[in-house]
Amino acid sequence: MKIGFIGLGSMGVGVARRLLKAGHTLTVWNRSPAPVQALVAEGAVAAQDPAQALQGELVLSLLASDAALRDVGLDGALLDRAAPGLVHVNLATISIELARSLAEAHASRGLGYVAMPVFGRPEAAAAGELALVLAGKTEHVARVQPILGAIGKTNIVLGERPEHANLFKIAGNFMIASTIETIGEAYALLRKGGVDPAPFYDLLAATVFASPVFKNYGKLILDRRFEPAGFKLPLGLKDVNLARESAAQLGATLPIAELLKERFAEALERGWHDKDWTAVTALDD
Protein backbone atom coordinates (compact mmCIF):
# COMPACT_ATOMS: atom_id res chain seq x y z
CA MET A 1 0.00 0.00 0.00
CA LYS A 2 0.97 3.62 -0.47
CA ILE A 3 1.02 5.05 3.07
CA GLY A 4 1.92 8.39 4.63
CA PHE A 5 3.17 8.80 8.19
CA ILE A 6 3.14 11.99 10.28
CA GLY A 7 4.85 12.12 13.67
CA LEU A 8 8.08 10.18 14.16
CA GLY A 9 8.69 10.16 17.88
CA SER A 10 10.05 7.07 19.60
CA MET A 11 6.76 5.23 19.00
CA GLY A 12 6.15 6.51 15.49
CA VAL A 13 9.59 5.48 14.24
CA GLY A 14 8.99 1.93 15.42
CA VAL A 15 5.61 1.69 13.70
CA ALA A 16 6.97 3.26 10.48
CA ARG A 17 9.83 0.76 10.36
CA ARG A 18 7.40 -2.13 10.70
CA LEU A 19 5.42 -0.83 7.72
CA LEU A 20 8.59 -0.51 5.64
CA LYS A 21 9.65 -4.04 6.53
CA ALA A 22 6.21 -5.29 5.47
CA GLY A 23 6.85 -3.90 1.99
CA HIS A 24 4.62 -0.83 2.02
CA THR A 25 5.59 2.40 0.20
CA LEU A 26 6.03 4.96 2.96
CA THR A 27 6.18 8.77 2.78
CA VAL A 28 7.15 10.31 6.13
CA TRP A 29 7.01 13.76 7.69
CA ASN A 30 8.21 15.02 11.06
CA ARG A 31 9.04 18.44 12.50
CA SER A 32 12.61 17.42 13.34
CA PRO A 33 14.58 15.96 10.41
CA ALA A 34 16.69 13.28 12.12
CA PRO A 35 14.07 10.48 12.22
CA VAL A 36 13.00 11.30 8.66
CA GLN A 37 16.59 10.95 7.45
CA ALA A 38 16.97 7.64 9.29
CA LEU A 39 13.86 6.20 7.64
CA VAL A 40 14.83 7.52 4.20
CA ALA A 41 18.05 5.54 4.55
CA GLU A 42 15.85 2.47 5.06
CA GLY A 43 13.67 3.07 2.02
CA ALA A 44 11.09 5.70 2.99
CA VAL A 45 10.38 8.88 1.01
CA ALA A 46 10.73 12.24 2.77
CA ALA A 47 7.72 14.55 2.54
CA GLN A 48 8.62 18.20 2.19
CA ASP A 49 5.47 19.18 4.10
CA PRO A 50 2.65 17.29 5.83
CA ALA A 51 0.38 17.51 2.79
CA GLN A 52 2.75 15.29 0.79
CA ALA A 53 2.11 12.52 3.32
CA LEU A 54 -1.62 12.69 2.54
CA GLN A 55 -1.39 11.57 -1.10
CA GLY A 56 -1.65 7.80 -0.68
CA GLU A 57 -4.31 5.32 0.36
CA LEU A 58 -3.75 5.76 4.10
CA VAL A 59 -2.02 8.26 6.32
CA LEU A 60 -1.06 7.32 9.87
CA SER A 61 -0.39 10.01 12.45
CA LEU A 62 1.13 9.67 15.89
CA LEU A 63 1.39 13.11 17.44
CA ALA A 64 1.85 13.90 21.11
CA SER A 65 -1.32 15.80 21.97
CA ASP A 66 -4.47 17.57 20.82
CA ALA A 67 -2.45 20.74 20.36
CA ALA A 68 0.20 19.04 18.22
CA LEU A 69 -2.45 17.54 15.97
CA ARG A 70 -4.14 20.91 15.54
CA ASP A 71 -0.81 22.65 14.88
CA VAL A 72 -0.15 20.33 11.95
CA GLY A 73 -3.65 21.03 10.61
CA LEU A 74 -5.10 17.53 10.70
CA ASP A 75 -8.31 18.92 12.18
CA GLY A 76 -9.06 21.12 9.19
CA ALA A 77 -6.94 23.06 6.71
CA LEU A 78 -4.46 20.31 5.88
CA LEU A 79 -7.28 17.94 4.98
CA ASP A 80 -8.24 20.14 2.04
CA ARG A 81 -4.98 19.03 0.39
CA ALA A 82 -5.50 15.28 0.90
CA ALA A 83 -5.92 12.73 -1.89
CA PRO A 84 -9.60 11.94 -2.59
CA GLY A 85 -10.84 9.02 -0.51
CA LEU A 86 -7.81 8.99 1.82
CA VAL A 87 -8.29 7.28 5.18
CA HIS A 88 -6.56 8.92 8.15
CA VAL A 89 -5.60 6.51 10.95
CA ASN A 90 -4.87 8.37 14.18
CA LEU A 91 -2.72 6.37 16.62
CA ALA A 92 -2.48 9.09 19.28
CA THR A 93 -4.13 9.38 22.68
CA ILE A 94 -6.37 12.43 22.26
CA SER A 95 -9.45 13.88 23.93
CA ILE A 96 -12.86 12.49 23.14
CA GLU A 97 -13.97 15.99 22.16
CA LEU A 98 -11.25 16.27 19.50
CA ALA A 99 -11.97 12.72 18.32
CA ARG A 100 -15.55 13.71 17.55
CA SER A 101 -14.55 16.89 15.72
CA LEU A 102 -11.91 15.02 13.68
CA ALA A 103 -14.49 12.50 12.48
CA GLU A 104 -16.76 15.36 11.41
CA ALA A 105 -13.95 17.28 9.68
CA HIS A 106 -12.92 14.24 7.65
CA ALA A 107 -16.48 13.24 6.73
CA SER A 108 -17.27 16.75 5.48
CA ARG A 109 -14.39 16.39 2.99
CA GLY A 110 -15.20 12.85 1.85
CA LEU A 111 -12.23 11.41 3.75
CA GLY A 112 -12.13 8.42 6.07
CA TYR A 113 -11.15 8.63 9.71
CA VAL A 114 -10.23 5.76 12.04
CA ALA A 115 -9.12 6.17 15.64
CA MET A 116 -6.52 3.52 16.44
CA PRO A 117 -4.75 4.36 19.72
CA VAL A 118 -2.11 1.85 20.73
CA PHE A 119 -0.99 0.19 23.96
CA GLY A 120 2.73 -0.48 24.27
CA ARG A 121 6.08 1.18 24.76
CA PRO A 122 8.69 1.92 22.05
CA GLU A 123 10.20 -1.55 22.25
CA ALA A 124 6.78 -3.07 21.53
CA ALA A 125 6.31 -0.72 18.58
CA ALA A 126 9.70 -1.76 17.18
CA ALA A 127 8.79 -5.45 17.55
CA GLY A 128 5.30 -5.12 16.06
CA GLU A 129 3.72 -6.16 19.34
CA LEU A 130 1.39 -3.27 20.06
CA ALA A 131 -2.21 -3.75 21.14
CA LEU A 132 -4.48 -1.79 18.80
CA VAL A 133 -7.92 -0.32 19.52
CA LEU A 134 -9.90 0.66 16.41
CA ALA A 135 -13.12 2.57 15.87
CA GLY A 136 -14.54 4.14 12.73
CA LYS A 137 -16.92 3.42 9.88
CA THR A 138 -16.84 -0.22 8.83
CA GLU A 139 -15.58 0.51 5.32
CA HIS A 140 -12.75 2.66 6.67
CA VAL A 141 -11.69 0.09 9.27
CA ALA A 142 -11.63 -2.50 6.48
CA ARG A 143 -9.11 -0.35 4.61
CA VAL A 144 -6.81 -0.47 7.64
CA GLN A 145 -6.98 -4.23 8.19
CA PRO A 146 -4.11 -5.14 5.79
CA ILE A 147 -1.52 -3.28 7.90
CA LEU A 148 -2.56 -4.46 11.36
CA GLY A 149 -0.46 -7.61 11.41
CA ALA A 150 2.71 -5.64 10.72
CA ILE A 151 2.36 -3.35 13.72
CA GLY A 152 0.32 -5.15 16.37
CA LYS A 153 -0.02 -8.53 18.02
CA THR A 154 -3.68 -8.07 18.89
CA ASN A 155 -6.50 -5.69 18.05
CA ILE A 156 -10.11 -4.95 18.88
CA VAL A 157 -12.73 -3.04 16.87
CA LEU A 158 -15.14 -1.10 19.08
CA GLY A 159 -17.61 0.11 16.47
CA GLU A 160 -18.15 3.18 14.32
CA ARG A 161 -17.62 6.01 16.82
CA PRO A 162 -13.92 6.99 16.90
CA GLU A 163 -14.18 8.68 20.30
CA HIS A 164 -14.97 5.28 21.85
CA ALA A 165 -11.46 4.05 20.94
CA ASN A 166 -9.94 7.14 22.52
CA LEU A 167 -12.00 6.79 25.70
CA PHE A 168 -10.90 3.14 25.85
CA LYS A 169 -7.24 4.23 25.64
CA ILE A 170 -7.67 7.05 28.15
CA ALA A 171 -9.20 4.60 30.64
CA GLY A 172 -6.35 2.15 30.04
CA ASN A 173 -3.65 4.75 30.57
CA PHE A 174 -5.44 5.92 33.73
CA MET A 175 -5.21 2.34 35.04
CA ILE A 176 -1.50 2.13 34.16
CA ALA A 177 -0.77 5.46 35.87
CA SER A 178 -2.68 4.29 38.95
CA THR A 179 -0.71 1.03 38.98
CA ILE A 180 2.61 2.89 38.72
CA GLU A 181 1.69 5.02 41.73
CA THR A 182 0.52 1.95 43.69
CA ILE A 183 3.73 0.01 42.99
CA GLY A 184 5.83 2.97 44.11
CA GLU A 185 3.86 3.34 47.33
CA ALA A 186 4.13 -0.39 48.09
CA TYR A 187 7.90 -0.37 47.55
CA ALA A 188 8.24 2.73 49.75
CA LEU A 189 6.26 1.03 52.52
CA LEU A 190 8.54 -2.01 52.37
CA ARG A 191 11.72 0.07 52.43
CA LYS A 192 10.44 2.05 55.44
CA GLY A 193 10.00 -1.24 57.25
CA GLY A 194 13.46 -2.48 56.33
CA VAL A 195 12.23 -5.00 53.74
CA ASP A 196 13.96 -5.31 50.37
CA PRO A 197 11.28 -4.86 47.65
CA ALA A 198 13.23 -7.07 45.19
CA PRO A 199 11.88 -10.43 46.45
CA PHE A 200 8.44 -8.81 46.78
CA TYR A 201 8.61 -8.00 43.07
CA ASP A 202 9.91 -11.47 42.17
CA LEU A 203 7.12 -13.29 44.01
CA LEU A 204 4.23 -11.08 42.91
CA ALA A 205 5.41 -10.89 39.29
CA ALA A 206 5.36 -14.69 39.17
CA THR A 207 2.02 -15.15 40.95
CA VAL A 208 -0.81 -12.77 41.84
CA PHE A 209 0.44 -9.87 39.67
CA ALA A 210 1.79 -11.89 36.73
CA SER A 211 0.85 -9.24 34.19
CA PRO A 212 2.89 -7.21 31.69
CA VAL A 213 2.13 -3.94 33.49
CA PHE A 214 3.42 -5.16 36.85
CA LYS A 215 6.32 -7.11 35.38
CA ASN A 216 7.56 -4.27 33.17
CA TYR A 217 6.78 -1.19 35.25
CA GLY A 218 7.48 -2.92 38.54
CA LYS A 219 11.01 -3.72 37.36
CA LEU A 220 11.64 -0.19 36.09
CA ILE A 221 10.51 1.22 39.43
CA LEU A 222 12.51 -1.35 41.41
CA ASP A 223 15.68 -0.49 39.49
CA ARG A 224 14.87 3.26 39.47
CA ARG A 225 15.51 3.17 35.73
CA PHE A 226 13.78 6.39 34.69
CA GLU A 227 16.00 7.31 31.74
CA PRO A 228 15.91 7.02 28.81
CA ALA A 229 12.18 7.56 28.96
CA GLY A 230 9.85 5.21 27.13
CA PHE A 231 6.95 7.53 27.96
CA LYS A 232 7.85 10.94 29.36
CA LEU A 233 6.33 12.44 32.48
CA PRO A 234 4.61 15.35 30.69
CA LEU A 235 2.75 12.84 28.52
CA GLY A 236 1.71 10.96 31.64
CA LEU A 237 0.23 14.13 33.11
CA LYS A 238 -1.45 14.87 29.78
CA ASP A 239 -3.18 11.49 29.84
CA VAL A 240 -4.20 11.81 33.50
CA ASN A 241 -5.77 15.14 32.61
CA LEU A 242 -7.55 13.56 29.64
CA ALA A 243 -9.09 11.09 32.08
CA ARG A 244 -10.15 13.93 34.38
CA GLU A 245 -11.63 15.93 31.50
CA SER A 246 -13.49 12.91 30.14
CA ALA A 247 -14.91 12.17 33.58
CA ALA A 248 -16.12 15.76 33.92
CA GLN A 249 -17.81 15.64 30.51
CA LEU A 250 -19.46 12.28 31.16
CA GLY A 251 -20.50 12.84 34.77
CA ALA A 252 -18.09 10.27 36.22
CA THR A 253 -15.98 10.56 39.37
CA LEU A 254 -12.26 9.71 39.36
CA PRO A 255 -10.83 10.57 42.80
CA ILE A 256 -7.60 8.64 42.09
CA ALA A 257 -7.05 10.78 38.99
CA GLU A 258 -7.03 13.88 41.21
CA LEU A 259 -4.25 12.38 43.33
CA LEU A 260 -2.31 11.39 40.21
CA LYS A 261 -2.58 14.91 38.83
CA GLU A 262 -0.97 16.34 41.97
CA ARG A 263 1.78 13.71 41.98
CA PHE A 264 2.69 14.16 38.32
CA ALA A 265 2.58 17.94 38.64
CA GLU A 266 4.94 17.77 41.61
CA ALA A 267 7.36 15.59 39.64
CA LEU A 268 7.39 18.11 36.81
CA GLU A 269 7.97 20.96 39.26
CA ARG A 270 11.20 19.16 40.14
CA GLY A 271 12.27 19.45 36.51
CA TRP A 272 11.79 15.79 35.57
CA HIS A 273 10.47 16.57 32.09
CA ASP A 274 12.75 14.08 30.34
CA LYS A 275 12.26 11.23 32.79
CA ASP A 276 9.93 8.28 32.30
CA TRP A 277 6.51 8.61 33.89
CA THR A 278 7.54 5.91 36.37
CA ALA A 279 9.80 8.57 37.96
CA VAL A 280 6.73 9.83 39.80
CA THR A 281 7.44 6.99 42.24
CA ALA A 282 10.73 8.66 43.24
CA LEU A 283 8.98 11.63 44.86
CA ASP A 284 9.23 10.06 48.30
CA ASP A 285 12.82 8.84 48.05
Side-chain angles (χ1 to χ4, degrees), residues 61-229:
S61 66
L62 186 40
L63 298 163
S65 64
D66 286 23
L69 197 146
R70 288 190 174 105
D71 286 346
V72 172
L74 282 168
D75 62 334
L78 185 64
L79 300 178
D80 295 328
R81 301 167 65 188
L86 176 80
V87 174
H88 173 201
V89 186
N90 183 10
L91 283 68
T93 306
I94 62 168
S95 68
I96 57 175
E97 181 180 10
L98 179 57
R100 293 190 190 104
S101 65
L102 284 171
E104 293 168 2
H106 285 71
S108 70
R109 293 166 171 84
L111 304 174
Y113 180 73
V114 174
M116 192 175 77
V118 303
F119 286 99
R121 287 168 70 87
E123 54 270 27
E129 295 181 349
L130 297 170
L132 315 172
V133 184
L134 295 88
K137 291 192 177 299
T138 302
E139 62 268 28
H140 299 148
V141 171
R143 293 267 299 278
V144 182
Q145 290 289 340
I147 71 169
L148 299 184
I151 60 180
K153 66 177 178 180
T154 186
N155 68 80
I156 183 172
V157 179
L158 293 183
E160 296 206 342
R161 294 177 60 181
E163 71 270 20
H164 284 179
N166 290 112
L167 185 60
F168 190 113
K169 178 66 190 312
I170 288 166
N173 277 14
F174 166 61
M175 287 184 68
I176 296 170
S178 303
T179 302
I180 287 170
E181 174 65 20
T182 301
I183 293 169
E185 291 182 19
Y187 287 179
L189 177 64
L190 290 167
R191 290 190 179 104
K192 291 288 186 183
V195 177
D196 182 359
F200 174 84
Y201 166 80
D202 291 339
L203 179 65
L204 268 62
T207 56
V208 294
F209 286 105
S211 69
V213 169
F214 184 79
K215 288 180 178 180
N216 296 336
Y217 286 108
K219 188 72 167 94
L220 289 174
I221 296 165
L222 182 68
D223 296 341
R224 292 181 168 86
R225 187 156 32 97
F226 306 135
E227 294 181 275

Side-chain angles (χ1 to χ4, degrees), residues 239-284:
D239 286 355
V240 166
N241 282 333
L242 285 178
R244 295 174 59 247
E245 292 162 10
S246 298
Q249 292 175 31
L250 299 171
T253 302
L254 298 181
I256 293 174
E258 298 303 317
L259 168 65
L260 292 171
K261 183 199 79 167
E262 297 302 325
R263 297 283 285 176
F264 277 83
E266 182 181 348
L268 290 176
E269 286 172 3
R270 297 192 185 189
W272 296 353
H273 292 77
D274 291 325
K275 293 184 183 297
D276 194 82
W277 65 334
T278 51
V280 70
T281 61
L283 286 172
D284 300 321

